[in-house]
Amino acid sequence: MIIPSKDWYRARTYLHFDLPISVNKASKTVYNPDLVSKHAFYPLINYTLEINKVSKDPISQAVIKLPPKPRPISFPGHLDSHIYAYYSKVLNREYEDKLRFNGLHNSILAFRTLGKSNIDFALDAFNEIKKHGECCAIALDITKFFENIDHEILKREWCNLLKVERLPKDHFNVYQSITKYSVVEKEALYKLLGISLNYKDSARRRICEPIDFRQKVRKNKLIKVHKHSYGIPQGTPLSAMLSNLYMFDFDLAMTTFVESYHGRYYRYCDDMLFIVPIEAKAITEQFAMEQIKSLNLSVNPNKTEVRTFYFNGGKLQTDKHLQYLGFMFDGDNIFIRSSSLARYSERMRRGVRLAKKTMVKYNNIRLANSQPERPLFKRKLYSRYTHLGRRNFITYGIRAANKMDSDSIRKQLKPLLKRFKDEVNKI
């Protein structure tokens, strides 16, 4: 299948082993299956993103810093990325048709063009619970999803999607590149080549010449080959599509099972939510666990939530909030997750303090040069941490409060501006 539109192409200017290329040059390769089948993919450049985690002490309400969560990110070479993006579009067209044919279109939420956000998905789920009334919500999360995707199962699903017994040569080469991939750690690579990790000079268009790649990168054994029979990298333009494809049989089995009890099933990447009658709680959880195990995956027990909703005095409630896609629901009210609020407050405090330290640093230089001091630059801080910005946590919360018509979220957001101002005004 050839996709004539070139919406798969996105200009990429990051440093890699090859040069950025135009859409016309990329098209000559991606539209030619023979060239793709023979294409030699460069190693991915890998780095780890540290995601700061915080929580709140349930008694003192004090912010508790948790160990940062490492998230490995890998990005491919320029031509490689265009090949991945194109084949993602090819597979996605078939995948969307298959979803609609099997009635899964409204159950699979992540990595699809649905014109909705997490706010909409969470609201849909909470409204579904309200519609069911007394029911049970089971939320499961897969442990290290991308790192544990089984290659043989992935290839089977890939073949099923294309309705072939064996992958065509071009698809097989793409499959091999994403399963038998190799990586180079960014920090070690930049150190070897004498490049600063903060390098931003646009004059440099590639990390190194091909001869340096062979004589320095390869010779110094920086290239590490992934030799396991499971795991695909996160961060390539194809990874998200393959994660959905991998779960297709599971999605179909769970939808059929849950709907037999007149329930609803939603999946957002590795987060699953089942809304079923109370009497189907145990059997649904058991069946889901069996299906997940058949994919050689496992569930994170620390993120498993089973919540029973029941009427009390005509009001739907639950003993403990259901957490889903960054929101909490008690049967009546919707809240932003408390850890998200704590993380915002911690990030805001660090940002303001850094801005103040920067102000002091440059004011000391000005004083040494007999120049007048300058006050704290507040515009950027207000843009980043208050409702006056365009895209930040506060504007996201306001959008959620309006879409969900949630006074409880508005109450959560109300004190945040005062906290920000107090932090700015601290001496």
Side-chain angles (χ1 to χ4, degrees), residues 21-37:
I21 60 173
S22 67
V23 63
N24 290 332
K25 284 188 176 180
S27 299
K28 289 178 182 178
T29 297
V30 304
Y31 289 152
N32 188 327
D34 187 52
L35 287 180
V36 173
S37 68

Side-chain angles (χ1 to χ4, degrees), residues 124-126 128-129 132 135-138 258 261-266 273-277 284 322:
D124 288 345
F126 300 152
E128 190 69 27
I129 292 172
H132 277 73
C135 64
C136 179
I138 304 166
V258 168
Y261 289 95
H262 307 287
R264 281 301 302 269
Y265 163 63
Y266 300 101
L273 182 67
F274 311 93
I275 301 168
V276 293
T284 301
L322 169 69

Side-chain angles (χ1 to χ4, degrees), residues 213-425:
F213 176 77
R214 292 190 296 271
Q215 294 184 0
K216 291 183 179 179
V217 179
R218 193 180 295 281
K219 201 168 185 179
N220 281 277
K221 298 181 180 180
L222 260 62
I223 301 172
K224 307 297 181 186
V225 180
H226 182 79
K227 296 180 179 179
H228 300 295
S229 60
Y230 54 86
I232 65 171
Q234 292 187 59
T236 80
L238 185 57
S239 302
M241 173 66 240
L242 295 183
S243 71
N244 270 344
L245 177 60
Y246 187 81
M247 297 295 288
F248 182 83
D249 283 350
F250 174 86
D251 294 331
L252 183 59
M254 291 312 308
T255 300
T256 303
F257 181 88
V258 168
E259 287 184 352
S260 71
Y261 289 95
H262 307 287
R264 281 301 302 269
Y265 163 63
Y266 300 101
R267 182 176 63 79
Y268 191 98
C269 190
D270 54 356
D271 290 328
M272 293 157 285
L273 182 67
F274 311 93
I275 301 168
V276 293
I278 295 172
E279 60 271 17
K281 175 172 64 175
I283 194 171
T284 301
E285 188 174 2
Q286 180 186 351
F287 185 74
M289 292 293 190
E290 291 170 356
Q291 293 297 311
I292 290 169
K293 189 176 180 181
S294 72
L295 293 173
N296 293 332
L297 299 173
S298 60
V299 166
N300 185 345
N302 296 325
K303 292 188 177 181
T304 297
E305 294 190 6
V306 181
R307 303 286 182 262
T308 301
F309 291 85
Y310 55 90
F311 285 111
N312 185 9
K315 186 177 179 181
L316 190 65
Q317 63 181 49
T318 182
D319 292 334
K320 191 175 181 181
H321 291 154
L322 169 69
Q323 296 195 55
Y324 184 59
L325 300 183
F327 296 92
M328 301 188 301
F329 181 58
D330 65 3
D332 184 31
N333 301 298
I334 302 173
F335 304 85
I336 293 175
R337 218 168 41 176
S338 56
S339 60
S340 299
L341 296 166
R343 189 162 56 247
Y344 158 81
S345 295
E346 182 65 20
R347 193 184 302 123
M348 179 270 291
R349 277 192 287 268
R350 281 192 278 110
V352 172
R353 288 169 188 174
L354 178 61
K356 287 182 178 180
K357 285 181 180 178
T358 304
M359 177 192 70
V360 170
K361 174 185 173 183
Y362 284 103
N363 276 340
N364 286 336
I365 295 173
R366 291 187 185 96
L367 289 171
N369 294 326
S370 301
Q371 295 175 332
E373 294 185 42
R374 287 185 180 177
L376 180 67
F377 288 130
K378 295 182 182 179
R379 180 179 292 181
K380 192 172 183 180
L381 293 174
Y382 270 88
S383 176
R384 187 172 290 175
Y385 301 114
T386 77
H387 62 286
L388 298 176
R390 284 190 174 183
R391 295 182 66 87
N392 60 43
F393 177 79
I394 300 299
T395 57
Y396 174 80
I398 292 170
R399 195 161 65 250
N402 292 336
K403 272 194 176 184
M404 295 173 161
D405 192 21
S406 172
D407 287 334
S408 49
I409 291 179
R410 294 186 184 98
K411 287 178 182 177
Q412 287 180 296
L413 296 175
K414 194 173 182 180
L416 299 185
L417 180 61
K418 183 179 183 303
R419 284 184 209 167
F420 168 77
K421 288 182 176 179
D422 288 345
E423 192 64 43
V424 168
N425 294 328

Side-chain angles (χ1 to χ4, degrees), residues 138-265:
I138 304 166
L140 303 178
D141 181 274
I142 295 174
T143 301
K144 295 183 178 179
F145 181 34
F146 285 88
E147 292 96 317
N148 289 303
I149 286 178
D150 185 283
H151 296 167
E152 284 303 313
I153 296 175
L154 177 61
K155 185 163 66 171
R156 182 191 71 202
E157 292 293 349
W158 202 323
C159 287
N160 289 342
L161 185 69
L162 299 180
K163 299 174 184 174
V164 295
E165 290 188 7
R166 297 182 64 183
L167 289 177
K169 290 182 180 179
D170 55 326
H171 282 263
F172 182 70
N173 192 35
V174 174
Y175 161 79
Q176 280 205 309
S177 75
I178 208 82
T179 53
K180 305 299 180 188
Y181 61 94
S182 56
V183 299
V184 173
E185 291 297 329
K186 182 179 178 180
E187 191 170 341
L189 174 66
Y190 277 41
K191 185 177 180 180
L192 174 71
L193 299 175
I195 305 173
S196 168
L197 286 171
N198 300 317
Y199 184 86
K200 291 182 180 178
D201 187 351
S202 58
R204 191 181 196 118
R205 301 190 65 220
R206 71 195 305 170
I207 283 179
C208 62
E209 296 298 322
I211 189 169
D212 291 324
F213 176 77
R214 292 190 296 271
Q215 294 184 0
K216 291 183 179 179
V217 179
R218 193 180 295 281
K219 201 168 185 179
N220 281 277
K221 298 181 180 180
L222 260 62
I223 301 172
K224 307 297 181 186
V225 180
H226 182 79
K227 296 180 179 179
H228 300 295
S229 60
Y230 54 86
I232 65 171
Q234 292 187 59
T236 80
L238 185 57
S239 302
M241 173 66 240
L242 295 183
S243 71
N244 270 344
L245 177 60
Y246 187 81
M247 297 295 288
F248 182 83
D249 283 350
F250 174 86
D251 294 331
L252 183 59
M254 291 312 308
T255 300
T256 303
F257 181 88
V258 168
E259 287 184 352
S260 71
Y261 289 95
H262 307 287
R264 281 301 302 269
Y265 163 63

